[in-house]
């Protein structure tokens, strides 16, 4: 899992270290998330013209009206996923909304098995190639509408959504294992990050913080 990706690309260690320091200041504490964010060369996931801004704490355009999420939100969502009960480590994770593949690459550093789904074909193809070039073999990239999850690979210990649905989907949470966790943005104009936990009794929802994601859309294109 701890694939060394650091040698790839020319953007300096210093720029990445600055990003990690900023994430700490923003409250990210999980050392394995911070280490994974240091390892993954974020600049390779954006257009060359934007590479110099890749480590700033902003979301950036990746074509087709989509964005790469800001580093803070990527770190925060993965940190929330990882905070599972000690007797239920997160092994298999589903991400809905691959985009450029950056968050999937970070997930693949932290968890043994990652599935990610994208509905826009050119984004899917680029992400798949990028993840393959980085030799991240524990990521399975699917070209599909992910709004109903990936039942054939369920149950998942973790589910992460990178696009906002207007309401919390009941179908999706059924794909969580007992002891599993789902982190997702919910809402239209006003969006909040939610944590959904499943235990033997049922589901528990916690509203975490305000966020701004692109909308979850239906169908493939
Ligand atoms: N995970 C990305 C963020 C991508 S933005 C990162 O690392 O920065 C969100 C992505 O979700 C977009 O690429 C969008 O096309 C995709 N998306 C939206 N609705 C979807 C759906 N129903 N199924 C799969 N992907 C979807």
């Amino acid at each position: 899992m701890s694939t060394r990706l650091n040698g790839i690309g020319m953007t300096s260690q210093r720029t990445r270290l600055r990003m990690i320091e900023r994430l700490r200041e923003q409250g990210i504490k999980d050392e394995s998330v911070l280490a994974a964010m240091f390892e993954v060369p974020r600049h390779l996931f954006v257009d060359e013209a934007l590479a110099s801004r890749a480590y700033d704490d902003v979301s950036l355009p990746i074509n087709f009206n989509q964005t790469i999420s800001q580093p803070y939100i990527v770190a925060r969502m993965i940190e929330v996923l990882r905070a599972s009960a000690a007797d239920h480590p997160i092994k298999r994770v589903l991400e809905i909304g691959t985009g450029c593949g950056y968050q999937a690459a970070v997930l693949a550093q932290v968890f043994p098995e990652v599935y990610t789904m994208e509905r826009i074909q050119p984004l899917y193809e680029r992400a798949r190639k990028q993840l393959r070039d980085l030799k991240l073999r524990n990521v399975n990239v699917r070209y599909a509408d992910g709004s109903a999850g990936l039942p054939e690979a369920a149950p998942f210990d973790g589910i992460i959504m990178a696009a906002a649905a207007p309401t919390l989907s009941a179908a999706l949470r059924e794909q969580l294992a007992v002891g599993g966790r789902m982190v997702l943005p919910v809402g239209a104009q006003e969006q909040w990050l939610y944590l959904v936990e499943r235990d033997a009794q049922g589901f528990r929802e916690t509203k975490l913080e305000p966020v701004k994601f692109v909308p979850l859309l239906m169908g493939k294109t």
Side-chain angles (χ1 to χ4, degrees), residues 42 45 59-60 62-70 73-74 95-107 116-120 123-124 142-149 160-164 213-221:
R42 185 170 160 91
F45 290 85
S59 58
L60 294 169
I62 53 168
N63 300 324
F64 309 98
N65 271 332
Q66 303 305 323
T67 54
I68 176 172
S69 303
Q70 71 181 114
I73 199 71
V74 171
E95 177 194 41
I96 296 160
T98 315
C100 60
Y102 173 71
Q103 179 160 265
V106 180
L107 287 167
T116 181
M117 305 174 77
E118 175 56 55
R119 63 179 287 278
I120 299 177
L123 288 180
Y124 152 77
R142 299 284 176 98
Y143 170 48
D145 178 350
S147 49
I160 210 162
M161 285 183 67
F213 278 82
V214 297
L216 186 78
L217 300 174
M218 302 294 142
K220 295 198 283 184
T221 158

Side-chain angles (χ1 to χ4, degrees), residues 48-120:
E48 250 172 80
L50 294 172
S52 66
R53 298 176 58 201
Y55 296 89
D56 294 354
D57 196 38
V58 291
S59 58
L60 294 169
I62 53 168
N63 300 324
F64 309 98
N65 271 332
Q66 303 305 323
T67 54
I68 176 172
S69 303
Q70 71 181 114
Y72 167 74
I73 199 71
V74 171
R76 174 79 174 123
M77 289 174 96
I78 301 176
E79 182 173 75
V80 171
L81 263 198
R82 259 182 51 85
S84 63
D87 61 354
H88 193 103
I90 307 276
K91 294 197 181 110
R92 180 185 296 195
V93 173
L94 172 66
E95 177 194 41
I96 296 160
T98 315
C100 60
Y102 173 71
Q103 179 160 265
V106 180
L107 287 167
Q109 296 283 303
V110 175
F111 302 114
E113 197 181 352
V114 177
Y115 290 81
T116 181
M117 305 174 77
E118 175 56 55
R119 63 179 287 278
I120 299 177

